[in-house]
Amino acid sequence: VRCQPISTRATTVPLQGFPGVRSRTHPVGAMTERQKGFAALGITVLCWVGSSELMQWMEEGEGYNHPITITMTCAVSFLLYGGVPTLDPNAQTQEAKAKATATGRVDRFVDLFKRLGLVAGTFTLLWISANLAFTASLANTSSASAVTIASTSAAFALVCSVAVGIEKYSTRKLVAVSLTCIGTGLTCIADTGDGDHSHQLLGDSLALASAAMYAMYLVLFQKEVGDSVPTEQFLFIVGVWALALVPLATVFEPIVMPSGKQALALLANAVIGTAVSERAWLYGATKCGPTTATMALSLTIPFTAAFDLARGRLDGLHGAVGLVWSSGLLLICSGFVLSSTDESEPPPDDRRGTRAGADAS
């Protein structure tokens, strides 16, 4: 008897908890859509950690404290997707190849702008406001506190996504978000003892405002765009809107040219901390849902806390204060683990099928 090669065997994976959904077949070792989403969220976490530390180094070490210039540079970096081939498999069709000419690209951009121009404009305003608030918060509080408070975007994402009907409410999600919020509160209470920042309340408030806007633009993308068009094309339209808003931004803050090292750091932050991380985050949100995607950002907290401890920025967290702070981090991470194991939502493919059926109706 000739055995079939292991690499080509398939196994049936039952989808427990999804009434009426058939079991589907996956090759052994192949990643499911949800696993791909978590991998993308992992890339996002690494990019965000590096970005927050890099920006804090520029502001505190290099004295380059120009949050509007930094944010607009990051927003304009989405224009890079104008020259990046789409990751959509359907783009390899003959029709897509025919549209690869310069004229076809312009026509396609005009069509997409007509369809998604208003959504992309709203997305751009929310994105710029959220990131501007977060960047400004890093100058007024520790990066651990800023990222911790920003993780409360999961609560806003849960409320918004349930309200617009792209996610279903579940007790597990509510408990997960509650754990994250409680952990955030404990961490912030402990972090007030950090004497390195004289505007702790202002920094925490800016981080909280950014958390709300993060959730809003993520839910907006999932609701209005999702898989209807390649994400790269949508982000390119966002970059066009951002470029159009640059003259308005100069009214609030004159553009200050960075030095050599600052320019390299600014470019690295724009490409890795924005263009790459945002694409990965939106992909993860599409596969895992907005609530889980926003809660995934809480994983940046242990890493940023490690950076702060290594640099001596959290020396005041000893004894009971340190215990409260550590308990807060544990609750936040526990909330993400609980949310990631929630199976009340169908997989992304089933959501697309449901939405396609509704559109056909």
Side-chain angles (χ1 to χ4, degrees):
V1 178
R2 180 175 297 177
C3 296
Q4 186 180 10
I6 296 179
S7 59
T8 60
R9 292 180 184 175
T11 181
T12 301
V13 180
L15 299 178
Q16 300 178 356
F18 301 123
V21 179
R22 294 181 181 178
S23 301
R24 63 177 62 171
T25 300
H26 294 290
V28 173
M31 295 180 66
T32 64
E33 292 298 310
R34 190 171 177 85
Q35 289 173 339
K36 292 178 182 178
F38 280 118
L41 294 178
I43 296 174
T44 304
V45 169
L46 295 178
C47 291
W48 272 53
V49 170
S51 175
S52 62
E53 290 298 320
L54 188 60
M55 287 300 95
Q56 196 156 19
W57 169 79
M58 286 189 63
E59 293 169 1
E60 296 181 356
E62 294 293 316
Y64 192 82
N65 188 13
H66 304 284
I68 295 181
T69 302
I70 294 173
T71 302
M72 295 308 298
T73 302
C74 293
V76 173
S77 69
F78 289 130
L79 289 174
L80 295 174
Y81 284 110
V84 174
T86 177
L87 300 179
D88 184 8
N90 298 326
Q92 302 302 321
T93 61
Q94 292 297 327
E95 180 182 0
K97 291 180 180 179
K99 291 184 177 181
T101 62
T103 304
R105 279 190 166 187
V106 171
D107 293 340
R108 183 170 178 79
F109 173 77
V110 172
D111 293 339
L112 285 175
F113 195 85
K114 289 179 180 179
R115 291 171 50 197
L116 301 172
L118 182 59
V119 175
T122 305
F123 181 98
T124 304
L125 291 176
L126 289 172
W127 190 95
I128 291 176
S129 300
N131 285 272
L132 181 60
F134 182 76
T135 301
S137 71
L138 291 174
N140 295 280
T141 186
S142 67
S143 59
S145 180
V147 176
T148 299
I149 296 176
S151 68
T152 58
S153 58
F156 296 102
L158 177 61
V159 173
C160 294
S161 59
V162 170
V164 300
I166 61 177
E167 282 191 287
K168 294 180 180 179
Y169 168 82
S170 69
T171 303
R172 178 173 293 189
K173 285 183 180 177
L174 179 62
V175 173
V177 171
S178 299
L179 289 176
T180 301
C181 293
I182 294 173
T184 298
L186 293 176
T187 306
C188 292
I189 291 174
D191 197 34
T192 55
D194 184 2
D196 294 336
H197 303 277
S198 57
H199 303 288
Q200 185 78 30
L201 181 60
L202 174 61
D204 291 348
S205 300
L206 289 171
L208 184 62
S210 70
M213 289 182 284
Y214 280 136
M216 291 172 65
Y217 81 70
L218 191 62
V219 172
L220 175 68
F221 172 82
Q222 183 76 355
K223 177 67 175 178
E224 300 295 336
V225 183
D227 295 328
S228 61
V229 298
T231 305
E232 296 86 356
Q233 297 177 4
F234 176 78
L235 290 178
F236 177 71
I237 299 178
V238 172
V240 172
W241 273 109
L243 184 63
L245 292 175
V246 169
L248 179 61
T250 59
V251 175
F252 299 95
E253 178 186 282
I255 297 179
V256 179
M257 296 303 296
S259 63
K261 290 193 303 182
Q262 293 171 350
L264 289 176
L266 194 61
L267 179 62
N269 179 67
V271 175
I272 299 176
T274 299
V276 175
S277 69
E278 203 67 30
R279 175 64 182 92
W281 196 33
L282 293 178
Y283 180 86
T286 302
K287 301 303 179 183
C288 302
T291 302
T292 301
T294 50
M295 293 192 71
L297 298 180
S298 63
L299 295 181
T300 59
I301 298 170
F303 294 97
T304 52
F307 276 113
D308 282 348
L309 287 172
R311 295 183 181 182
R313 293 197 294 242
L314 298 176
D315 289 338
L317 298 178
H318 299 295
V321 176
L323 180 61
V324 171
W325 185 73
S326 301
S327 300
L329 294 182
L330 180 60
L331 287 175
I332 292 171
C333 295
S334 299
F336 168 74
V337 173
L338 187 62
S339 174
S340 64
T341 56
D342 182 76
E343 296 183 348
S344 61
E345 287 293 318
D349 289 344
D350 294 322
R351 285 202 297 265
R352 285 197 298 269
T354 302
R355 183 168 57 191
D359 291 342
S361 300

